[in-house]
Amino acid sequence: MPPLGSAGQPYGAGALMCGGAGDERCWVTGMGERAVTRRAHRFAEGRDQAMDSASVGPGRQGSAPSAHSRTPARGSPAALPLPGGRDGDHLSELSDLYGLFMLPMATPDGWEEGSVLRRAMSSVPRLGPCRAEACYRLGQRGPAIAAGDEPAAEIPLAEQLAGLDRRDGAVSLRDRDRARDRDRVWARAFVLCGSDGPLGFLVVSAPAEPDRSELFLLGALAQQTGRALAEVAGRHRDQERAGALRRANADKADHEAVNAQLAEQLVDLEIQRSVHEVLSRATIDAEGVDGIAKAVHGLTSLPVAIEDCFGNLHAWAGPGRPDPYPKPRPLPRQQLLRDAARESRPLRTKDGIVGLARYRGETLGLITLVDPGRRAGEHELFALDYACTMLALELAHRRNLAEVELRLRRDLVDDLVTGTDDAGAVARAEAVGHDLHGPHHLAVVRWTGLPSDEAFSRAVSGACRALDLAVLPARLSGREVLVIAGPPRGDALYAGLATALGSPTGAVGLSGAAETPHDLPRAYKEALRALELRTRSRRPYGSTSFEQLGLYRLLSTGNDYHEVERFVREWLGPLLDYDTRRHGDLVLTLTQYFACGGNYDGTAAALGVHRSTLRYRLQRIKEISGRDLGDVEHRLNLQVATRVWQIMSG
């Protein structure tokens, strides 16, 4: 019988099923007694047949060589000696052998190569009085230690294993430590062979050569350890293949999702390309705001309204245009603009979607998709958003052109009123669309309480267009200057400006005719003189022409009017005071008398009074003023004073 294990059992299946010290997990599950008996009988029959032709061990001479003693084939495990022996318990040995054969199938799923090798090494002492030195794995560079410690030997064990040519064979563990050599008299390397060939070596040592049954079990252990290693490697391959399959399936699902997403993006890109193309064509074809409205209506099939910031309609496309178009109230309109400016996308309102056309932070206009049924989706919102960008560029372009034209006109008017050559002035005027040929008048406009800014200039230009006046407008020295072709129509111009500006508190000074551009500097001075006389008169609001100044045009007083006022007071002061106290008309009567050339009938008719009333008034004028109308000098000074008073009175 083999020696007993630590639990009092013979070295056999029970010993192989359990791990080493401290590890109670089973490697091979035990079998029932009947199953073991059946397996044992089958193995025993094979053993008896083999032993009939095998040698009986040391000391027996002349016996025929055993079939198991032949040299094994390269790359395969050594032929295992059949168990026997004088004291062999066949049932126990075959039970041990069965446990070894079950070893690969009992390998847990979580084990790695190191676990298998360490279990194999821990099983060696249970198969006989042997010791497992180390396990080696075969690699591209030869055998390498895989479990256990490198044994100390005069010849490195790795070199000895390389010389075995992947077969079982004896190895030498001789060392300088003779005491340790006594425990390792015998040493052998058992090849660990899997289904694909040798995988490594199990190196076993003993104080003496084991008997045949122990060699058989050690060989079986090595063979089954190789199969267990192959099983672990196969599991790893299966796991890798399963993982690769899962990854491939996941990649396929991801690819399908990506393809679906790409298809959707392709549709979106095609729609966006169509939007870009349609709106760009509308801009390139110079269709302006109307073209943008028509393009958006064609893309969305919804009515489209384009308005300015104040709610005035610029363009409409589609059915259902209100007539008349409603003008929104200022406060709700301003709130709508603020709400839309806070949004990064078009703002949905009760009756539609509003998008702002903004340029450099300024709102130039807005586009409304009339959509009370809320039919608009993402594609319609994209079309509206892009249309707002195109509208902003269009309106900004218009503004820039207007500013450039205004600047050119301002520079031209500035040169005209300061003096320039006629040919150059005519050519520059043609560049901005004005014909300088023929008579021109200059008008200078100033309004009380309103700043002379861009809005004021636009209102003045609008009033001129409403009167069908061909003008070159400019803003000079805080006043609006107009170079007007043909008659200026002063009173109509003032009335139109008062209406456009919403205030009558302004004045217009008009010059005489300038036949050539060379005469325009003189006309500018005349318009300034007429404007200042108007603003200093008792009726400072209205229009005054330089031609209406009469004798006052000859007075060169600059900007000092005190001398003129003193002259008027000197000759008309008493009469003016009398009229103020008595609410009389003596100064008016004297003025009309001089205007009629001293004719009684004409003066009485102009004043609407009787001749006797006129005669009485003239007598009172002589008495109050102390001036004699028959005196030539007195008559001249009084006539000049009344003329100046008339101009200053408006």
Side-chain angles (χ1 to χ4, degrees):
M1 285 288 292
L4 294 177
S6 61
Q9 296 177 349
Y11 293 110
L16 289 174
M17 284 189 288
C18 297
D23 191 344
E24 298 302 327
R25 290 179 297 176
C26 288
W27 199 7
V28 179
T29 305
M31 299 181 62
E33 183 177 351
R34 291 183 181 180
V36 172
T37 303
R38 288 196 301 270
R39 300 276 180 151
H41 282 301
R42 285 200 294 270
F43 279 110
E45 292 175 0
R47 186 199 65 171
D48 293 340
Q49 293 175 4
M51 288 187 63
D52 290 340
S53 60
S55 62
V56 295
R60 293 193 178 186
Q61 303 295 330
S63 54
S66 170
H68 296 278
S69 65
R70 298 174 186 173
T71 303
R74 178 185 298 267
S76 63
L80 300 178
L82 289 176
R86 295 185 299 272
D87 301 324
D89 183 341
H90 302 318
L91 181 59
S92 176
E93 291 175 356
L94 293 177
S95 180
D96 292 345
L97 187 61
Y98 172 74
L100 291 173
F101 288 159
M102 290 297 293
L103 212 158
M105 293 178 287
T107 304
D109 289 341
W111 277 22
E112 301 291 338
E113 285 187 357
S115 301
V116 173
L117 295 176
R118 286 191 295 272
R119 294 296 172 144
M121 292 179 64
S122 66
S123 299
V124 169
R126 293 172 171 80
L127 299 179
C130 301
R131 173 185 175 185
E133 294 290 343
C135 284
Y136 287 78
R137 286 284 275 125
L138 292 176
Q140 294 181 352
R141 297 183 179 182
I145 190 76
D149 298 326
E150 180 77 26
E154 294 179 352
I155 302 176
L157 191 55
E159 295 181 10
Q160 299 183 53
L161 296 177
L164 294 179
D165 198 17
R166 301 192 176 193
R167 296 178 182 176
D168 289 355
V171 294
S172 174
L173 299 179
R174 291 176 60 84
D175 192 12
R176 295 179 181 178
D177 188 349
R178 301 303 178 185
R180 186 165 53 187
D181 284 348
R182 288 194 295 269
D183 297 331
R184 302 190 300 181
V185 172
W186 178 86
R188 187 174 183 83
F190 294 90
V191 69
L192 307 178
C193 190
S195 58
D196 296 332
L199 302 176
F201 291 96
L202 171 63
V203 180
V204 180
S205 66
E209 181 178 1
D211 61 23
R212 294 180 63 192
S213 63
E214 292 166 350
L215 288 174
F216 178 83
L217 293 175
L218 290 172
L221 174 64
Q223 186 181 39
Q224 299 306 99
T225 301
R227 291 181 59 191
L229 290 176
E231 179 71 18
V232 171
R235 289 176 185 173
H236 287 174
R237 288 194 298 271
D238 292 343
Q239 291 173 359
E240 292 177 357
R241 291 169 183 170
L245 182 60
R246 286 193 299 271
R247 289 192 296 272
N249 292 334
D251 291 342
K252 181 180 180 181
D254 292 342
H255 291 163
E256 292 177 353
V258 169
N259 289 337
Q261 185 177 5
L262 289 177
E264 294 178 0
Q265 293 178 355
L266 184 61
V267 173
D268 293 340
L269 289 175
E270 182 63 25
I271 294 175
Q272 293 175 10
R273 185 197 62 79
S274 176
V275 170
H276 291 168
E277 181 180 351
V278 171
L279 288 172
S280 298
R281 187 185 307 117
T283 305
I284 294 173
D285 294 343
E287 298 181 12
V289 177
D290 290 332
I292 293 175
K294 293 177 182 177
V296 176
H297 172 63
L299 291 168
T300 63
S301 301
L302 294 172
V304 179
I306 298 181
E307 306 169 346
D308 62 12
C309 297
F310 307 103
N312 300 307
L313 183 66
H314 283 336
W316 179 282
R321 173 177 175 172
D323 189 18
Y325 195 80
K327 181 70 176 290
R329 292 178 297 172
L331 291 181
R333 183 69 173 188
Q334 294 175 6
Q335 184 62 43
L336 173 63
L337 295 178
R338 286 194 294 268
D339 293 342
R342 284 194 293 265
E343 299 293 330
S344 59
R345 302 192 64 191
L347 175 67
R348 182 174 288 278
T349 61
K350 177 181 178 182
D351 298 325
I353 307 173
V354 175
L356 297 185
R358 294 175 62 84
Y359 183 76
R360 294 181 178 177
E362 180 183 2
T363 301
L364 304 181
L366 57 84
I367 305 177
T368 301
L369 281 182
V370 182
D371 183 29
R374 296 180 175 267
R375 294 188 297 127
E378 287 297 323
H379 296 154
E380 287 76 12
L381 290 177
F382 176 82
L384 175 59
D385 196 17
Y386 190 74
C388 289
T389 302
M390 302 302 292
L391 178 62
L393 294 176
E394 174 68 19
L395 296 179
H397 177 65
R398 287 187 178 186
R399 174 177 288 188
N400 291 336
L401 289 179
E403 290 177 352
V404 170
E405 183 177 356
L406 181 61
R407 185 165 57 252
L408 293 175
R409 289 173 179 268
R410 183 183 299 121
D411 295 342
L412 174 60
V413 172
D414 191 13
D415 291 342
L416 289 176
V417 299
T418 56
T420 184
D421 63 290
D422 290 359
V426 170
R428 291 169 62 189
E430 289 178 355
V432 296
H434 187 84
D435 185 9
L436 268 183
H437 295 90
H440 281 69
H441 293 75
L442 258 74
V444 181
V445 180
R446 184 167 62 190
W447 231 255
T448 303
L450 295 178
S452 181
D453 54 10
E454 293 294 338
F456 183 78
S457 298
R458 287 195 295 268
V460 171
S461 299
C464 293
R465 287 194 298 270
L467 293 174
D468 199 22
L469 295 177
V471 300
L472 279 175
R475 190 168 63 252
L476 303 176
S477 302
R479 293 180 289 263
E480 196 71 18
V481 178
L482 306 175
V483 179
I484 304 174
R489 300 170 58 188
D491 292 339
L493 178 60
Y494 168 77
L497 290 173
T499 301
L501 296 172
S503 171
T505 59
V508 180
L510 301 170
S511 72
E515 298 296 332
T516 65
H518 183 73
D519 298 329
L520 289 175
R522 182 261 306 163
Y524 180 57
K525 295 177 181 179
E526 293 176 354
L528 288 176
R529 187 71 176 274
L531 176 65
E532 294 196 15
L533 286 176
R534 182 72 196 194
T535 56
R536 292 179 178 275
S537 67
R538 295 180 181 178
R539 296 173 56 192
Y541 306 136
S543 66
T544 297
S545 171
F546 184 76
E547 296 173 348
Q548 296 175 337
L549 300 182
L551 180 63
Y552 203 85
R553 294 180 297 174
L554 302 177
L555 300 178
S556 178
T557 61
N559 293 327
D560 187 4
Y561 294 90
H562 296 294
E563 190 66 26
V564 176
E565 292 176 353
R566 189 174 64 178
F567 176 79
V568 172
R569 288 295 303 174
E570 178 182 352
W571 289 93
L572 298 179
L575 297 177
L576 292 172
D577 294 339
Y578 179 85
D579 286 345
T580 301
R581 291 194 307 268
R582 301 293 184 88
H583 303 287
D585 295 319
L586 296 183
V587 177
L588 178 61
T589 299
L590 183 60
T591 302
Q592 190 63 43
Y593 175 74
F594 287 134
C596 293
N599 184 279
Y600 274 54
D601 293 334
T603 302
L607 294 174
V609 297
H610 196 270
R611 282 174 55 91
S612 59
T613 303
L614 175 62
R615 187 177 294 108
Y616 171 76
R617 289 182 179 179
L618 292 175
Q619 183 61 33
R620 290 293 297 162
I621 290 172
K622 180 179 179 181
E623 294 174 354
I624 295 172
S625 65
R627 310 295 185 181
D628 185 4
L629 295 180
D631 185 274
V632 176
E633 184 176 356
H634 288 186
R635 187 182 182 93
L636 175 61
N637 288 331
L638 285 173
Q639 187 171 359
V640 170
T642 56
R643 181 59 178 163
V644 172
W645 171 84
Q646 184 181 24
I647 293 173
M648 294 180 64
S649 299

mmCIF file of all heavy atoms in Angstrom, residues 589 592-593 596 599-615 617:
data_model
loop_
_atom_site.group_PDB
_atom_site.id
_atom_site.type_symbol
_atom_site.label_atom_id
_atom_site.label_comp_id
_atom_site.label_asym_id
_atom_site.label_seq_id
_atom_site.Cartn_x
_atom_site.Cartn_y
_atom_site.Cartn_z
ATOM 1 N N THR A 589 -50.414 151.785 -40.129
ATOM 2 C CA THR A 589 -50.973 152.756 -41.072
ATOM 3 C C THR A 589 -49.850 153.482 -41.805
ATOM 4 O O THR A 589 -49.910 153.673 -43.039
ATOM 5 C CB THR A 589 -51.844 153.756 -40.321
ATOM 6 O OG1 THR A 589 -52.924 153.052 -39.675
ATOM 7 C CG2 THR A 589 -52.415 154.800 -41.254
ATOM 8 N N GLN A 592 -48.189 151.142 -44.391
ATOM 9 C CA GLN A 592 -49.022 150.940 -45.577
ATOM 10 C C GLN A 592 -49.070 152.212 -46.433
ATOM 11 O O GLN A 592 -49.111 152.139 -47.667
ATOM 12 C CB GLN A 592 -50.434 150.532 -45.151
ATOM 13 C CG GLN A 592 -51.305 150.063 -46.294
ATOM 14 C CD GLN A 592 -50.748 148.802 -46.946
ATOM 15 O OE1 GLN A 592 -50.312 147.879 -46.264
ATOM 16 N NE2 GLN A 592 -50.728 148.783 -48.273
ATOM 17 N N TYR A 593 -49.042 153.354 -45.777
ATOM 18 C CA TYR A 593 -49.045 154.644 -46.496
ATOM 19 C C TYR A 593 -47.802 154.742 -47.378
ATOM 20 O O TYR A 593 -47.896 155.136 -48.551
ATOM 21 C CB TYR A 593 -49.082 155.790 -45.486
ATOM 22 C CG TYR A 593 -48.964 157.167 -46.113
ATOM 23 C CD1 TYR A 593 -50.028 157.737 -46.821
ATOM 24 C CD2 TYR A 593 -47.774 157.890 -45.985
ATOM 25 C CE1 TYR A 593 -49.898 159.002 -47.382
ATOM 26 C CE2 TYR A 593 -47.646 159.153 -46.537
ATOM 27 C CZ TYR A 593 -48.711 159.693 -47.237
ATOM 28 O OH TYR A 593 -48.577 160.952 -47.800
ATOM 29 N N CYS A 596 -47.971 152.321 -50.348
ATOM 30 C CA CYS A 596 -48.858 152.757 -51.432
ATOM 31 C C CYS A 596 -48.355 154.044 -52.101
ATOM 32 O O CYS A 596 -49.086 154.663 -52.920
ATOM 33 C CB CYS A 596 -50.277 152.986 -50.895
ATOM 34 S SG CYS A 596 -51.090 151.455 -50.365
ATOM 35 N N ASN A 599 -50.433 157.432 -51.564
ATOM 36 C CA ASN A 599 -51.746 157.577 -52.164
ATOM 37 C C ASN A 599 -52.809 157.320 -51.107
ATOM 38 O O ASN A 599 -52.844 156.257 -50.491
ATOM 39 C CB ASN A 599 -51.883 156.592 -53.323
ATOM 40 C CG ASN A 599 -53.204 156.751 -54.063
ATOM 41 O OD1 ASN A 599 -54.228 156.255 -53.623
ATOM 42 N ND2 ASN A 599 -53.172 157.460 -55.180
ATOM 43 N N TYR A 600 -53.693 158.329 -50.922
ATOM 44 C CA TYR A 600 -54.708 158.223 -49.885
ATOM 45 C C TYR A 600 -55.725 157.125 -50.189
ATOM 46 O O TYR A 600 -56.090 156.337 -49.299
ATOM 47 C CB TYR A 600 -55.423 159.566 -49.712
ATOM 48 C CG TYR A 600 -54.735 160.516 -48.763
ATOM 49 C CD1 TYR A 600 -53.407 160.845 -48.950
ATOM 50 C CD2 TYR A 600 -55.431 161.068 -47.691
ATOM 51 C CE1 TYR A 600 -52.780 161.720 -48.079
ATOM 52 C CE2 TYR A 600 -54.810 161.946 -46.806
ATOM 53 C CZ TYR A 600 -53.475 162.270 -47.010
ATOM 54 O OH TYR A 600 -52.851 163.122 -46.140
ATOM 55 N N ASP A 601 -56.230 157.133 -51.418
ATOM 56 C CA ASP A 601 -57.261 156.163 -51.752
ATOM 57 C C ASP A 601 -56.724 154.729 -51.649
ATOM 58 O O ASP A 601 -57.392 153.840 -51.098
ATOM 59 C CB ASP A 601 -57.776 156.423 -53.175
ATOM 60 C CG ASP A 601 -58.529 157.748 -53.277
ATOM 61 O OD1 ASP A 601 -59.062 158.181 -52.230
ATOM 62 O OD2 ASP A 601 -58.552 158.305 -54.377
ATOM 63 N N GLY A 602 -55.516 154.494 -52.178
ATOM 64 C CA GLY A 602 -54.944 153.155 -52.118
ATOM 65 C C GLY A 602 -54.662 152.710 -50.685
ATOM 66 O O GLY A 602 -54.896 151.541 -50.312
ATOM 67 N N THR A 603 -54.174 153.657 -49.858
ATOM 68 C CA THR A 603 -53.870 153.309 -48.474
ATOM 69 C C THR A 603 -55.150 153.003 -47.709
ATOM 70 O O THR A 603 -55.211 152.030 -46.930
ATOM 71 C CB THR A 603 -53.118 154.454 -47.805
ATOM 72 O OG1 THR A 603 -51.924 154.726 -48.544
ATOM 73 C CG2 THR A 603 -52.762 154.112 -46.380
ATOM 74 N N ALA A 604 -56.196 153.853 -47.888
ATOM 75 C CA ALA A 604 -57.461 153.630 -47.187
ATOM 76 C C ALA A 604 -58.080 152.299 -47.588
ATOM 77 O O ALA A 604 -58.617 151.559 -46.749
ATOM 78 C CB ALA A 604 -58.426 154.779 -47.468
ATOM 79 N N ALA A 605 -57.992 151.997 -48.890
ATOM 80 C CA ALA A 605 -58.549 150.728 -49.352
ATOM 81 C C ALA A 605 -57.772 149.554 -48.765
ATOM 82 O O ALA A 605 -58.359 148.535 -48.372
ATOM 83 C CB ALA A 605 -58.524 150.666 -50.878
ATOM 84 N N ALA A 606 -56.425 149.659 -48.709
ATOM 85 C CA ALA A 606 -55.614 148.555 -48.174
ATOM 86 C C ALA A 606 -55.883 148.349 -46.693
ATOM 87 O O ALA A 606 -55.889 147.207 -46.208
ATOM 88 C CB ALA A 606 -54.129 148.820 -48.413
ATOM 89 N N LEU A 607 -56.134 149.450 -45.968
ATOM 90 C CA LEU A 607 -56.384 149.330 -44.530
ATOM 91 C C LEU A 607 -57.852 149.051 -44.226
ATOM 92 O O LEU A 607 -58.177 148.642 -43.096
ATOM 93 C CB LEU A 607 -55.952 150.608 -43.818
ATOM 94 C CG LEU A 607 -54.442 150.909 -43.827
ATOM 95 C CD1 LEU A 607 -54.189 152.289 -43.203
ATOM 96 C CD2 LEU A 607 -53.675 149.837 -43.053
ATOM 97 N N GLY A 608 -58.693 149.282 -45.232
ATOM 98 C CA GLY A 608 -60.125 149.059 -45.016
ATOM 99 C C GLY A 608 -60.774 150.133 -44.160
ATOM 100 O O GLY A 608 -61.688 149.807 -43.385
ATOM 101 N N VAL A 609 -60.289 151.388 -44.306
ATOM 102 C CA VAL A 609 -60.851 152.495 -43.521
ATOM 103 C C VAL A 609 -61.266 153.617 -44.480
ATOM 104 O O VAL A 609 -60.931 153.606 -45.674
ATOM 105 C CB VAL A 609 -59.819 153.015 -42.502
ATOM 106 C CG1 VAL A 609 -59.462 151.921 -41.491
ATOM 107 C CG2 VAL A 609 -58.569 153.530 -43.192
ATOM 108 N N HIS A 610 -61.977 154.602 -43.943
ATOM 109 C CA HIS A 610 -62.408 155.741 -44.744
ATOM 110 C C HIS A 610 -61.248 156.711 -44.893
ATOM 111 O O HIS A 610 -60.310 156.730 -44.094
ATOM 112 C CB HIS A 610 -63.610 156.448 -44.060
ATOM 113 C CG HIS A 610 -64.348 157.361 -44.975
ATOM 114 N ND1 HIS A 610 -64.016 158.699 -45.109
ATOM 115 C CD2 HIS A 610 -65.413 157.136 -45.812
ATOM 116 C CE1 HIS A 610 -64.832 159.266 -45.980
ATOM 117 N NE2 HIS A 610 -65.705 158.335 -46.418
ATOM 118 N N ARG A 611 -61.323 157.569 -45.935
ATOM 119 C CA ARG A 611 -60.260 158.540 -46.172
ATOM 120 C C ARG A 611 -60.115 159.477 -44.989
ATOM 121 O O ARG A 611 -59.002 159.854 -44.608
ATOM 122 C CB ARG A 611 -60.572 159.356 -47.431
ATOM 123 C CG ARG A 611 -60.271 158.619 -48.730
ATOM 124 C CD ARG A 611 -60.754 159.452 -49.924
ATOM 125 N NE ARG A 611 -60.190 160.783 -49.919
ATOM 126 C CZ ARG A 611 -59.042 161.136 -50.535
ATOM 127 N NH1 ARG A 611 -58.342 160.217 -51.191
ATOM 128 N NH2 ARG A 611 -58.622 162.387 -50.493
ATOM 129 N N SER A 612 -61.221 159.846 -44.390
ATOM 130 C CA SER A 612 -61.144 160.777 -43.254
ATOM 131 C C SER A 612 -60.447 160.118 -42.070
ATOM 132 O O SER A 612 -59.691 160.769 -41.332
ATOM 133 C CB SER A 612 -62.549 161.233 -42.850
ATOM 134 O OG SER A 612 -63.353 160.129 -42.487
ATOM 135 N N THR A 613 -60.671 158.811 -41.891
ATOM 136 C CA THR A 613 -59.990 158.077 -40.808
ATOM 137 C C THR A 613 -58.492 158.028 -41.073
ATOM 138 O O THR A 613 -57.669 158.199 -40.154
ATOM 139 C CB THR A 613 -60.541 156.653 -40.696
ATOM 140 O OG1 THR A 613 -61.966 156.723 -40.481
ATOM 141 C CG2 THR A 613 -59.879 155.897 -39.564
ATOM 142 N N LEU A 614 -58.127 157.816 -42.336
ATOM 143 C CA LEU A 614 -56.709 157.793 -42.687
ATOM 144 C C LEU A 614 -56.086 159.155 -42.428
ATOM 145 O O LEU A 614 -54.970 159.241 -41.885
ATOM 146 C CB LEU A 614 -56.550 157.389 -44.155
ATOM 147 C CG LEU A 614 -55.125 157.439 -44.712
ATOM 148 C CD1 LEU A 614 -54.207 156.474 -43.958
ATOM 149 C CD2 LEU A 614 -55.108 157.132 -46.217
ATOM 150 N N ARG A 615 -56.820 160.214 -42.810
ATOM 151 C CA ARG A 615 -56.276 161.555 -42.614
ATOM 152 C C ARG A 615 -56.096 161.828 -41.130
ATOM 153 O O ARG A 615 -55.097 162.429 -40.697
ATOM 154 C CB ARG A 615 -57.216 162.593 -43.259
ATOM 155 C CG ARG A 615 -56.635 164.005 -43.253
ATOM 156 C CD ARG A 615 -57.557 164.984 -43.964
ATOM 157 N NE ARG A 615 -57.668 164.686 -45.390
ATOM 158 C CZ ARG A 615 -58.733 164.169 -45.977
ATOM 159 N NH1 ARG A 615 -59.800 163.876 -45.250
ATOM 160 N NH2 ARG A 615 -58.758 163.935 -47.272
ATOM 161 N N ARG A 617 -55.481 159.635 -38.750
ATOM 162 C CA ARG A 617 -54.353 158.850 -38.239
ATOM 163 C C ARG A 617 -53.019 159.483 -38.621
ATOM 164 O O ARG A 617 -52.081 159.533 -37.813
ATOM 165 C CB ARG A 617 -54.407 157.417 -38.773
ATOM 166 C CG ARG A 617 -55.534 156.582 -38.183
ATOM 167 C CD ARG A 617 -55.467 155.167 -38.728
ATOM 168 N NE ARG A 617 -56.510 154.313 -38.188
ATOM 169 C CZ ARG A 617 -56.695 153.034 -38.506
ATOM 170 N NH1 ARG A 617 -55.850 152.472 -39.375
ATOM 171 N NH2 ARG A 617 -57.684 152.352 -37.978
#
